[in-house]
Amino acid sequence: QKEVEQNSGPLSVPEGAIASLNCTYSDRGSQSFFWYRQYSGKSPELIMFIYSNGDKEDGRFTAQLNKASQYVSLLIRDSQPSDSATYLCAVNPPYGGATNKLIFGTGTLLAVQP
Amino acid sequence: DAGVTQSPTHLIKTRGQHVTLRCSPISGHKSVSWYQQVLGQGPQFIFQYYEKEERGRGNFPDRFSARQFPNYSSELNVNALLLGDSALYLCASSLAQGDQPQHFGDGTRLSIL
């Protein structure tokens, strides 16, 4: 079992729709969760992070965390063609807080159709 | 404020050579981590340094080494380059270690011929 799993996609949504990106993780003790956006040929850009169960909203983005189900998701409302990118889910596993080791999924390619 | 800066942006080497990649963190950030990203995969953790000490190491051979300087900048060194070392090397900085969000630089694209 991979430590962080994402559907590779592509996930195709029409402009203006809600895009839902999902991620599961294997280490039950993980405490912090991150979503990065990566455009082709560019480096990852941090867009959301979440530490507690529930929802966290920032503009058009909402991160959702369910630690009991070991599941984290990212919702993008009013999707725009400029949101087309690979979305990487990253988890910081429990090493006693001593490291910043992020475990990444392989990413989900999102394509927003005009 | 400047983000994480990495140099060089691109590098071409041949097998067996040595390479040094450099990273300057965001001002005020004391933790630097290095990642390797090959095409189609998520970044893989190589090292983390905090306050000039190694705090974490990923599953990479001893050919990979790194250090952090008093100004918190960092170097990643790779010896005896192999074709499989061709990748995007990413540096990320954060305020401290632990659960702090990490911000990536633009990366160094390393090609091995």
Side-chain angles (χ1 to χ4, degrees):
Chain A
Q1 182 190 9
K2 290 183 181 178
E3 293 180 85
V4 178
E5 293 205 53
Q6 296 180 257
N7 189 320
S8 60
L11 173 66
S12 184
V13 299
E15 184 175 354
I18 296 176
S20 178
L21 303 158
N22 304 316
C23 171
T24 58
Y25 60 95
S26 61
D27 198 323
R28 182 169 291 277
S30 299
Q31 296 294 324
S32 53
F33 308 85
F34 305 86
W35 283 99
Y36 288 85
R37 177 175 63 197
Q38 187 171 28
Y39 292 112
S40 180
K42 302 296 186 182
S43 65
E45 174 193 8
L46 179 67
I47 53 173
M48 290 289 288
F49 57 92
I50 187 167
Y51 301 141
S52 304
N53 275 331
D55 295 359
K56 178 182 179 183
E57 188 174 317
D58 183 2
R60 296 187 297 113
F61 299 100
T62 298
Q64 299 175 316
L65 175 61
N66 184 326
K67 289 184 179 179
S69 299
Q70 295 175 241
Y71 178 92
V72 58
S73 64
L74 178 70
L75 301 178
I76 306 175
R77 288 181 299 282
D78 188 24
S79 295
Q80 301 297 309
S82 58
D83 294 326
S84 298
T86 296
Y87 288 80
L88 295 162
C89 172
V91 175
N92 191 341
Y95 289 114
T99 72
N100 280 27
K101 175 181 180 178
L102 290 179
I103 306 296
F104 284 84
T106 54
T108 297
L109 178 61
L110 174 65
V112 181
Q113 307 301 324
Chain B
D1 283 344
V4 178
T5 58
Q6 291 187 244
S7 63
T9 54
H10 294 87
L11 205 50
I12 299 174
K13 293 284 189 179
T14 58
R15 283 178 295 174
Q17 285 189 310
H18 161 91
V19 68
T20 298
L21 310 180
R22 295 179 174 83
C23 171
S24 292
I26 293 170
S27 178
H29 285 195
K30 297 182 177 181
S31 177
V32 169
S33 298
W34 287 94
Y35 293 82
Q36 180 197 66
Q37 187 178 26
V38 298
L39 198 62
Q41 300 294 319
Q44 277 204 295
F45 174 78
I46 310 175
F47 286 110
Q48 186 226 345
Y49 278 78
Y50 176 67
E51 291 287 13
K52 302 179 287 296
E53 291 188 9
E54 181 183 305
R55 301 300 180 122
R57 173 184 283 255
N59 188 23
F60 280 81
D62 291 345
R63 300 184 295 108
F64 289 75
S65 63
R67 54 179 175 167
Q68 186 177 35
F69 299 99
N71 65 354
Y72 302 108
S73 68
S74 178
E75 279 182 357
L76 175 70
N77 294 283
V78 187
N79 292 324
L81 288 166
L82 302 174
L83 292 177
D85 294 332
S86 295
L88 179 66
Y89 287 85
L90 296 160
C91 173
S93 76
S94 59
L95 281 170
Q97 59 181 6
D99 293 337
Q100 298 291 317
Q102 296 183 46
H103 300 269
F104 284 92
D106 289 340
T108 294
R109 190 162 298 279
L110 176 63
S111 299
I112 310 301
L113 302 180

